[in-house]
Amino acid sequence: ASESFGSFGIEVAEFLRKEQLEVERERELQQERKQSMRDAIDKERQTYGLGRILPVFAFCGLLFSGLLVLFVFMEPHDWASALMLSLAVSMLFC
């Protein structure tokens, strides 16, 4: 009976060794994919972080300054314009 299973043990050992190598290869590929995704996220944060926010802040700051100067020098002529002026000022400070 042992003669019929003579090379079976060797073939099983070879198969298990190949499977272990394949598992290790898949693990390495997964680590490489994770690292490349982290690198892409870091690059996107560096590219779009301050570059997108700074123009928005600059625009809002200039708009706020211009409207503040306009509201300081503008005199309301009736209750409707006074209401609009106070609403606009209160919206600027929110």
Side-chain angles (χ1 to χ4, degrees):
S2 64
E3 293 174 5
S4 62
F5 292 111
S7 66
F8 181 71
I10 296 171
E11 290 176 10
V12 169
E14 183 65 24
F15 175 78
L16 291 175
R17 186 184 67 79
K18 286 181 181 179
E19 282 296 312
Q20 185 62 33
L21 288 175
E22 186 65 26
V23 167
E24 289 175 9
R25 184 176 183 284
E26 288 292 325
R27 189 176 300 133
E28 289 173 1
L29 288 174
Q30 183 181 17
Q31 291 290 354
E32 288 175 10
R33 284 191 298 266
K34 284 182 182 179
Q35 187 61 41
S36 67
M37 289 176 70
R38 286 184 195 123
D39 293 343
I41 289 171
D42 289 341
K43 183 178 179 183
E44 185 174 330
R45 284 182 184 162
Q46 290 173 354
T47 303
Y48 296 115
L50 190 59
R52 281 191 168 178
I53 295 173
L54 190 60
V56 172
F57 282 139
F59 175 75
C60 289
L62 288 174
L63 180 67
F64 176 77
S65 301
L67 288 175
L68 190 62
V69 168
L70 179 69
F71 294 150
V72 165
F73 292 109
M74 191 169 108
E75 295 181 17
H77 297 288
D78 57 353
W79 68 272
S81 60
L83 178 66
M84 295 299 284
L85 183 62
S86 63
L87 285 174
V89 169
S90 65
M91 285 177 57
L92 281 176
F93 290 109
C94 288

